[in-house]
Amino acid sequence: MKISHNETIHLGASEDISYIRQKVRKWMVELRFSLVEQTKIVTAASELARNTIEHGGGGRAQLIVLTDNGRTGLQLIFEDNGPGIPDLELALEDGYSTGSGLGLGLSGSKRLVDEFDLKSKPDKGTCITITKWRLN
Amino acid sequence: MDKIPILKLKDLLLVTIQVDMHDRMAHTLQEDLTERVVQDGVKGVLIDISSLEVVDSFIGRMLGNIASATRTLGAETIVVGIRPSVAITIVELGVTLEGVHTALNVDKGMALLQSLIKTSSQEKGT
Ligand SMILES: Nc1ncnc2c1ncn2[C@@H]1O[C@H](COP(=O)(O)OP(=O)(O)O)[C@@H](O)[C@H]1O
Ligand SMILES: [Mg+2]
């Protein structure tokens, strides 16, 4: 697996969500993902960036372009040092929200990507990695 | 520009969302629209989102909230111009747009609105 691009995006305020949507879109276009694939990953990025800001108290996202055995992937890692998620299974249920959201951010973005990895520790923070592959 | 313009067309309000909306704009739009429904005494609201490349659960919730609020005030909301790629994505995301009427474009939205207004006034016997 080779990393051909790696950048960090700060996630502090709601404006940063628009910014990461634009960044991810730009890379998806550059990597020639289909329009539907672009839309899915930009939407997942929007959901997870909002969670980082609203539930995690802010953090950062890493945008990584991967090549592996002739396939190209876009990976996004969302990280915060917030309160963490006490019950992962519950948080991944459709409609579960501790706020006023629709409770679809975690469960929905998991459906929109190829790989979804969620790690969280109480009072330490949350780290979510998503990956979308483009088959050559 | 931080505000989304609201146009009055006969007995309805037309909103065209042309920019990638950040959260504050979405809240402002919700407040402005509900106020204008009362001020202008309209029976319908048409929201054109054909320029939106992404609809996440936040925007989905906003559209649902606008529809509920305007309905409470006696006006129907119709969302028009959802892109096919957006439709595929929000279904997978799980956003159902419950209580929100949809139509392919502004013309079809207006026609739907007219028939909704007629039905609701017949039901009320006016
Ligand atoms: N980064 C995070 N830090 C702490 N809690 C989180 C984080 N992301 C998600 N959660 C928790 O998981 C729940 C479900 O998240 P989500 O599916 O995005 O729904 P919503 O954001 O609409 O509440 C949130 O309500 C919150 O309690
Ligand atoms: Mg969320």
Side-chain angles (χ1 to χ4, degrees):
Chain A
M1 194 119 61
K2 227 183 89 221
I3 293 177
S4 55
H5 181 84
N6 188 344
E7 74 179 284
T8 303
I9 297 157
H10 171 76
L11 297 173
S14 109
E15 278 79 0
D16 299 330
I17 305 173
S18 310
Y19 180 74
I20 195 173
R21 279 199 293 259
Q22 287 161 27
K23 266 277 170 200
V24 172
R25 172 76 69 177
K26 184 187 146 256
W27 274 100
M28 293 297 282
V29 170
E30 195 132 319
L31 298 172
R32 292 180 291 106
F33 278 89
S34 76
L35 180 61
V36 170
E37 285 173 318
Q38 287 172 32
T39 309
K40 286 182 178 181
I41 197 109
V42 175
T43 305
S46 187
E47 293 293 342
L48 297 175
R50 175 166 286 110
N51 282 356
T52 301
I53 293 164
E54 279 182 4
H55 305 301
R60 65 227 140 267
Q62 228 176 304
L63 189 158
I64 298 167
V65 179
L66 294 170
T67 44
D68 175 39
N69 269 328
R71 54 177 195 168
T72 302
L74 188 79
Q75 185 168 74
L76 296 165
I77 306 174
F78 297 85
E79 225 175 333
D80 65 64
N81 306 99
I85 304 173
D87 187 339
L88 295 184
E89 223 173 290
L90 186 62
L92 275 162
E93 271 179 25
D94 271 350
Y96 176 80
S97 172
T98 53
S100 56
L102 292 179
L104 294 171
L106 286 181
S107 53
S109 39
K110 188 176 179 184
R111 284 189 289 269
L112 292 172
V113 299
D114 295 328
E115 289 163 29
F116 182 96
D117 178 69
L118 167 54
K119 288 193 178 71
S120 192
K121 270 210 182 100
D123 296 323
K124 287 266 188 287
T126 300
C127 180
I128 299 176
T129 306
I130 58 171
T131 314
K132 190 97 181 166
W133 292 102
R134 194 204 72 218
L135 301 172
N136 283 340
Chain B
M1 193 192 62
D2 245 27
K3 249 185 174 0
I4 296 165
I6 300 170
L7 300 177
K8 189 176 179 201
L9 279 182
K10 290 186 202 153
D11 52 352
L12 62 88
L13 296 176
L14 175 65
V15 180
T16 307
I17 300 176
Q18 265 162 338
V19 287
D20 184 70
M21 260 198 300
H22 56 71
D23 297 10
R24 202 165 3 89
M25 279 171 92
H27 285 298
T28 309
L29 176 64
Q30 211 168 310
E31 284 165 22
D32 289 353
L33 254 182
T34 35
E35 249 165 57
R36 286 284 300 272
V37 164
V38 175
Q39 258 176 36
D40 299 9
V42 294
K43 288 266 175 267
V45 174
L46 217 58
I47 304 178
D48 182 0
I49 63 166
S50 55
S51 300
L52 282 192
E53 293 179 337
V54 170
V55 171
D56 62 7
S57 68
F58 177 82
I59 299 296
R61 182 166 67 103
M62 175 201 78
L63 294 172
N65 286 349
I66 289 175
S68 308
T70 61
R71 181 167 301 133
T72 310
L73 298 167
E76 293 292 336
T77 291
I78 300 186
V79 173
V80 304
I82 298 179
R83 295 183 181 203
S85 51
V86 168
I88 291 170
T89 302
I90 59 175
V91 167
E92 205 159 335
L93 184 63
V95 169
T96 52
L97 292 182
E98 231 169 295
V100 181
H101 298 286
T102 54
L104 274 184
N105 53 40
V106 173
D107 281 348
K108 292 205 162 84
M110 283 195 186
L112 175 58
L113 207 46
Q114 294 312 327
S115 72
L116 286 171
I117 293 170
K118 241 184 236 151
T119 330
S120 77
S121 57
Q122 273 165 3
E123 275 166 8
K124 287 179 192 131
T126 49

